[in-house]
Amino acid sequence: MAVAQVPRNFKLLAELEKGEKGMGAGACSYGLEDPEDIFMTHWTGTIWGPPHGQHENRIYELKMECGPNYPREPPLIHFVSQINLPGVNQTDGKVDRNAVAVLRDWTRIANELAKNPRPKEDPLSLEAALIAIRKYMEEHKKLPQPPEGSKYAMYKLARSWDGFALYKALIRQGLRVPLPDDITTGLGPVNPIRSLIRNGFRRNRKDTSLRLVNSALANGYKYLALLSAAQTTTTPEHASVLTFLRENQVRVLAVKAKIAADIAARECSKPGPDLIPLLTRVPKAPGDHGPPEYVATNRPRPLAELKGGIRKVPTLDDSQAFPFLRLGKPQSPVLSRMIRQTTRRAAARTLKLIELQKKGTLNAGREDQWDKLVDKLRRAHDPHPDTSDETEETAGGHPPPGGPADTFVAPLTTEIKRLAAKLNTARNDQVARGQAMWKIVEQEQELARKEAKKRKEKLRKQKRDERRRSEVGSLLTEMVREAKIQGGMDLAGDLEKLSLSAKSTVKREKKPEADQFDKYHW
């Protein structure tokens, strides 16, 4: 006697309700990849990494596909987040059914459920599969894992191509929407719809979560339909687009006015025209391609030009491989501005080079492969192919179409070499600057030692003179005392005046010298 089974859609609806209400296990969650998927085939899931291991504090994203025979057959499960786990394909993240107990015994459990269709808990569900995978991860929690947040290449490439296709479609439809002159030129020469689309994609380009990406794609296609309908001026969609653009124009102008007011109130850190540069580049002879050389412009400065009469030796410091001299505190706003601009420029070039080397080369290579396949198909269907462009160069000595220079990889390689050369040139320039600054530090240290030695000699001489004056004063005092005893009052008066004069000279010269010694004491 055949036993009635719960229809596929009813079971999936029950699982969807349970997942959306959060009634399942707290360590796992799941939901539809596309909320408008009426067949409920494609699902997304997340697993919190088990504690006390390499998976701790990590969130893993998964994709699940429920086929037409679900729940009699297990779902297909792929890891989107990269994971080092036995039974997981390292190319596409597919989970081997024989590695996880529930997926391996799915058919046997389904046959048992056919005889007992009402268990207390549903052992065959998406939640059960996620819990079993998490338990399997806990058994291998000591295995080293890839960097957190890394994805399998096929999912990153698919999302990037989907987003790029949507971006081009939105730009194309947005430029076809008729706009009045006050909106078209209100914020500059660029079309406002194009600016909004570009800013939106740039703002969200770092999103990697499947939930956020799918939501963004769904909203993007809704706006694509809105822009398509807004191309007719009599439609309500066109009126709503104009209303939104006018409100956005008012908001953007207010933000720009606030930023301009803040900049005007801020202290300007731009170098003035009378600023003397610390280093001067030495001009090279024609044909000299060696590293650059720098010399100090006005350092070290004479002691007479320094405040306080004491030379303070600067320290050589660096910020992200950008050398600079720290002359004192607080740091000059001009120096802070130069460090900030230089480090940002170097970081932007480095990130662009890395992106071109990783993603750009892969995409360009695939474009070239596609062009080769299209050209091969064209030649196969063309009974009289023209091969003259393969054997002869075009006029002017340029390579023929389809040659090494007529590819996507060739200009990309040129751009990569240009960026690498710029980074190397900047690096050599910073090294030369650092060497010149170190020479300044060495010269300042040598002058500081010589000046400190002179100060010590001067203080030693002042103390010696003071001691001699004191001895003379003491001798005169003794002579006055003896003269008084012997009765020579006139001679005693003269000697007493001379003694007082010597002591007053000692006191008058002692005070500034003592103060100077305290001031310059090290």
Side-chain angles (χ1 to χ4, degrees), residues 4-67:
Q5 294 184 355
V6 178
R8 171 184 180 276
N9 289 352
F10 287 177
K11 177 173 174 53
L12 290 175
L13 281 174
E15 293 190 31
L16 178 61
E17 182 180 4
K18 184 177 180 181
E20 289 180 345
K21 292 183 178 180
M23 297 185 298
C28 304
S29 62
Y30 57 95
L32 279 175
E33 184 176 352
D34 184 5
E36 297 182 0
D37 183 7
I38 60 175
F39 297 104
M40 293 178 287
T41 301
H42 301 286
W43 296 67
T44 61
T46 57
I47 296 178
W48 287 85
H52 311 299
Q54 298 292 333
H55 304 291
E56 188 172 12
N57 297 329
R58 290 195 177 193
I59 301 177
Y60 293 91
E61 300 178 13
L62 300 92
K63 289 173 66 73
M64 299 174 287
E65 181 180 349
C66 298

Side-chain angles (χ1 to χ4, degrees), residues 201-403:
F201 273 81
R202 288 172 181 171
R203 185 170 55 251
N204 301 324
R205 64 182 176 182
K206 294 184 179 181
D207 291 342
T208 57
S209 171
L210 280 177
R211 180 181 61 83
L212 295 177
V213 171
N214 293 331
S215 177
L217 290 175
N219 292 330
Y221 284 111
K222 290 180 181 178
Y223 283 109
L224 182 62
L226 174 65
L227 293 177
S228 300
Q231 296 175 12
T232 305
T233 57
T234 58
T235 58
E237 289 81 0
H238 184 267
S240 64
V241 169
L242 294 184
T243 302
F244 174 78
L245 291 177
R246 285 193 172 94
E247 294 176 353
N248 179 73
Q249 181 176 341
V250 173
R251 181 183 62 83
V252 171
L253 291 177
V255 172
K256 287 184 176 181
K258 184 177 182 303
I259 293 175
D262 294 341
I263 293 176
R266 192 186 311 160
E267 181 181 358
C268 181
S269 59
K270 185 177 180 181
D274 55 344
L275 181 66
I276 301 176
L278 178 66
L279 301 176
T280 302
R281 186 164 183 168
V282 179
K284 292 185 178 181
D288 185 5
H289 301 289
E293 296 182 6
Y294 287 90
V295 294
T297 304
N298 60 345
R299 293 279 179 172
R301 296 166 59 188
L303 185 63
E305 298 180 3
L306 302 179
K307 295 181 180 179
I310 297 294
R311 184 180 300 277
K312 296 181 181 179
V313 179
T315 57
L316 181 60
D317 206 343
D318 73 287
S319 174
Q320 300 182 14
F322 176 76
F324 64 94
L325 283 182
R326 194 180 296 278
L327 302 176
K329 293 183 179 180
Q331 185 169 285
S332 169
V334 177
L335 179 59
S336 300
R337 176 192 179 103
M338 293 179 61
I339 295 174
R340 183 171 59 253
Q341 292 179 349
T342 305
T343 52
R344 284 179 180 177
R345 192 182 304 114
R349 288 176 179 172
T350 304
L351 292 176
K352 185 177 180 181
L353 179 62
I354 294 174
E355 184 177 3
L356 290 178
Q357 289 176 339
K358 290 186 175 180
K359 294 183 180 180
T361 306
L362 176 63
N363 295 338
R366 295 193 175 187
E367 288 289 343
D368 291 338
Q369 292 178 1
W370 174 258
D371 289 344
K372 290 180 180 179
L373 291 175
V374 171
D375 186 65
K376 185 177 180 180
L377 291 175
R378 179 180 61 82
R379 294 176 184 275
H381 290 81
D382 190 358
H384 304 288
D386 184 11
T387 59
S388 60
D389 58 349
E390 297 181 355
T391 58
E392 298 180 0
E393 292 186 351
T394 58
H398 299 288

Side-chain angles (χ1 to χ4, degrees), residues 137-173:
M137 293 167 55
E138 190 172 2
E139 297 173 359
H140 302 83
K141 60 184 179 181
K142 295 185 179 181
L143 291 177
Q145 298 299 323
E148 186 175 0
S150 56
K151 313 287 182 181
Y152 287 103
M154 61 176 299
Y155 298 107
K156 293 191 292 185
L157 186 61
R159 289 200 297 270
S160 63
W161 280 115
D162 291 343
F164 187 62
L166 177 60
Y167 171 77
K168 291 196 298 184
L170 287 171
I171 292 291
R172 184 169 53 252
Q173 297 297 330

Side-chain angles (χ1 to χ4, degrees), residues 51 83 104 110 120 150 163 198 284 357 384 405 463 482 499:
I83 185 172
R104 182 177 60 248
K120 294 182 180 179
S150 56
R198 285 180 176 176
K284 292 185 178 181
Q357 289 176 339
H384 304 288
K463 288 182 179 180
E482 291 180 358
S499 174

